Amino acid sequence: MNVIVDNAGLFWSGWLKTIEICVYAAIGSLVLGMAVAVARVSPVPLLQRLGALWVQCVRNCPLTVVLFFMAFGLPEVGLHGSYFWFGVAGLICYTSGFVCEAVRSGIGAVPAGQVEAARAVGLTFGAGLRLVVMPQALRSMVPPLGNALIAMIKNSAIVGAFGVGGELFSVADTLTSSRGLPALPTLTGVVAGYLLLILPFGFLLSRLERKVAIAR
């Protein structure tokens, strides 16, 4: 316990850095995942194939491989940046595949008659999706989207192994490897940090899910 108390400032800064990574990754993965989902349900066959290819590639590829590619592969083709942004980009790419499938399942839950009615009144694909399908699909998206984002938060620990210093897991590595502090209390501090992130988020998702269910 003394290890956590004596290094509370370091754990706090690591917790804030982890939140920063997760916020950027969540926004990016939601935007990218939504775009890929729209491509997959679009009437253009080429976009459908490209969306399916993206999901199959990133969803079935281990996260460590995606992060390796971002951190060490991209600089070899002339794309340079900080490990922080490479780590965030890796999380975005990896999580976007799961976000896409969550959005697509929500769209698939909308009755086909709603889509046909939108077409019957002359709405284009984009207008029908935005005005008719998406508002109804959001109800079914909340649980799978929440699960994808919670998994993303937990996966952010792996980013620390790729040179992104300062986040919770790299704090534990610093305390145990460089300062020789015992691993058990150090990792307990890391677990507590992640629980402080995930439990309130899960509570908010449960509230949102119940609210959406009442709206039905």
Side-chain angles (χ1 to χ4, degrees):
M1 190 66 182
N2 289 338
V3 172
I4 299 175
V5 174
D6 295 342
N7 298 280
L10 201 56
F11 279 110
W12 174 251
S13 64
W15 192 68
L16 293 179
K17 177 67 78 175
T18 299
I19 290 178
E20 186 180 1
I21 292 171
C22 291
V23 168
Y24 286 129
I27 294 172
S29 60
L30 286 173
V31 172
L32 181 59
M34 188 77 73
V36 177
V38 171
R40 292 204 67 181
V41 300
S42 74
V44 182
L46 178 60
L47 291 178
Q48 293 176 10
R49 294 191 189 98
L50 289 175
L53 179 64
W54 174 264
V55 171
Q56 291 302 321
C57 287
V58 299
R59 195 176 59 169
N60 296 315
C61 190
L63 176 59
T64 49
V65 175
V66 176
L67 292 173
F68 261 117
F69 178 80
M70 291 290 175
F72 305 112
L74 292 183
E76 291 190 5
V77 296
L79 295 176
H80 299 282
S82 67
Y83 283 119
F84 176 85
W85 289 112
F86 281 142
V88 170
L91 275 180
I92 290 174
C93 291
Y94 183 76
T95 310
S96 68
F98 297 93
V99 170
C100 169
E101 290 306 280
V103 173
R104 199 165 69 94
S105 68
I107 292 174
V110 177
Q114 296 288 320
V115 180
E116 293 171 0
R119 290 175 183 162
V121 296
L123 292 178
T124 62
F125 166 75
L129 194 65
R130 179 168 52 87
L131 300 175
V132 177
V133 177
M134 279 299 186
Q136 300 180 67
L138 283 173
R139 300 171 183 172
S140 304
M141 290 179 198
V142 173
L145 275 180
N147 291 334
L149 293 178
I150 287 174
M152 185 271 296
I153 293 173
K154 291 186 287 186
N155 286 334
S156 68
I158 303 177
V159 173
F162 289 84
V164 180
E167 50 79 45
L168 271 175
F169 194 77
S170 64
V171 167
D173 183 56
T174 300
L175 293 177
T176 54
S177 301
S178 302
R179 302 187 186 180
L181 295 177
L184 183 59
T186 305
L187 291 175
T188 301
V190 173
V191 171
Y194 274 101
L195 289 179
L196 283 174
L197 267 177
I198 293 172
L199 291 181
F201 184 64
F203 175 75
L204 290 175
L205 282 175
S206 299
R207 292 285 302 269
L208 180 61
E209 188 177 349
R210 285 198 294 271
K211 191 172 182 179
V212 170
I214 291 171
R216 289 178 177 176

